Amino acid sequence: MAFIDAHTHTFLRGPEDLAAMARAGVESAVVCAFLPVPASGACSLIDLFFWLDDVERKRLVQAGIRPIIAIGVHPRALPPETELDRVLAEMNSLVTSGRASAIGEIGLETGSEAEKSLLLRQLRLARDLHATAIVHTPRADKRERLRETLRLVDEAGIAPGRVILDHLTPDLVAELDARSRHFWMGLTVQPGKTTPEQLADLVMARGTRRLIVNSDLSHMPSWPDALAMTAQRPGELGLKPEDIERLTRSNAEEAFELPDARPVTAKHTSSVT
Ligand SMILES: [Zn+2]
């Protein structure tokens, strides 16, 4: 089975992990911008965006994985407020020119006013660019941060079908289902987050509608083969092959508008270091 991993930070892993992803069936990966420290200025973030578009794009292609580059300011990487205009202008330019194709990873961590203001601006940018926004929810106070995020999504006027609310828990999926809004809902299969067993229970209860599984592969504990784990033993977990296909591929294809997603050809000649 060929997977689309809809949320990764592969640039924080070595080539052996990219090879492991490809071996585990990942055909395309969304690479989301993220710095684990506050950015001291716009340059830190802009250089990160260039890194993803240049070196990381090439590394994924070499590994045989189609790259989908997402750029954005994660709430843990907030730069000084005076630097934001420059960062947002660069994001606009990179998406408009096709060097990046989605906005992420954005969201709220502590729910500070600075985070909310920036999330609103980034959601409006995604709306104006007709780009999909990948929106983080934190481990702490997840429910409250999600509710604040939903208010900002409404204020920004971005279509729910352009928003992936990520790192959700099964109970928050139920809460979103009750709102009858058609957001995409991301579930991260990672140590301490969603397990394949929880995922199977959730799908048995409400189907695969709008659900997207991802690894959130980063410098933190995470699995290059998270999607393959999700697809493993589907009979034992009670999921049908078509359920697995929706969770690990076709819902992401729809969310990112990738109707012509096809495997890339691995190249082994370049010498990216
Ligand atoms: Zn992430």
Side-chain angles (χ1 to χ4, degrees):
M1 195 175 276
F3 307 118
I4 297 175
D5 194 335
H7 183 144
T8 74
H9 309 283
T10 55
F11 54 100
L12 299 172
R13 293 291 187 115
E16 63 280 3
D17 290 322
L18 300 188
M21 284 180 92
R23 272 199 310 275
V26 174
E27 174 198 290
S28 307
V30 179
V31 181
C32 301
F34 167 68
L35 278 181
V37 291
S40 58
C43 286
S44 307
L45 292 159
I46 293 169
D47 290 346
L48 169 65
F49 302 157
F50 291 168
W51 175 11
L52 301 190
D53 174 47
D54 184 358
V55 177
E56 197 57 13
R57 185 185 292 283
K58 289 176 189 157
R59 284 202 328 144
L60 262 70
V61 170
Q62 282 175 358
I65 299 171
R66 172 187 293 263
I68 300 155
I69 303 299
I71 53 169
V73 185
H74 190 285
R76 279 183 239 149
L78 248 60
E81 214 226 316
T82 51
E83 303 280 301
L84 288 175
D85 286 353
R86 203 174 145 212
V87 177
L88 290 163
E90 193 63 49
M91 286 169 61
N92 191 344
S93 153
L94 285 166
V95 174
T96 304
S97 64
R99 293 172 65 189
S101 44
I103 300 293
E105 177 175 2
I106 60 176
L108 300 177
E109 185 74 29
T110 65
S112 69
E113 288 309 311
E115 286 182 6
K116 287 179 187 168
S117 166
L118 179 56
L119 176 56
L120 181 61
R121 292 185 71 181
Q122 294 191 97
L123 288 168
R124 283 180 172 149
L125 182 63
R127 176 202 64 193
D128 294 346
L129 294 169
H130 306 291
T132 301
I134 303 146
V135 184
H136 158 98
T137 58
R139 286 179 191 250
D141 302 321
K142 191 181 281 286
R143 186 179 299 273
E144 182 53 29
R145 293 293 94 78
L146 177 63
R147 288 175 181 168
E148 291 164 351
T149 297
L150 292 175
R151 285 194 284 275
L152 293 168
V153 165
D154 282 344
E155 192 177 339
I158 185 172
R162 282 288 182 194
V163 177
I164 302 174
L165 298 167
D166 220 331
H167 315 320
L168 296 177
T169 55
D171 57 329
L172 290 179
V173 169
E175 183 171 324
L176 288 165
D177 281 344
R179 289 172 180 248
S180 302
R181 304 279 304 279
H182 300 299
F183 297 104
W184 294 103
M185 296 179 276
L187 291 153
T188 300
V189 172
Q190 193 182 61
K193 292 188 181 164
T194 308
T195 65
E197 289 73 18
Q198 287 173 317
L199 194 60
D201 288 345
L202 180 66
V203 172
M204 298 297 269
R206 48 83 74 205
T208 57
R209 185 172 35 86
R210 314 298 285 182
L211 298 182
I212 298 174
V213 174
N214 61 68
S215 69
D216 195 11
L217 191 76
S218 74
H219 62 304
M220 299 297 284
S222 40
W223 295 307
D225 59 347
L227 272 65
M229 286 168 57
T230 303
Q232 233 174 15
R233 301 180 290 106
E236 286 177 47
L237 294 175
L239 299 191
K240 297 183 291 229
E242 54 265 38
D243 292 334
I244 299 290
E245 202 272 339
R246 295 293 304 173
L247 293 170
T248 59
R249 182 183 177 88
S250 54
N251 281 354
E253 227 165 32
E254 207 179 314
F256 289 97
E257 298 187 338
L258 305 168
D260 63 345
R262 287 183 296 270
V264 296
T265 305
K267 294 176 186 165
H268 301 288
T269 51
S270 177
S271 58
V272 174
T273 56

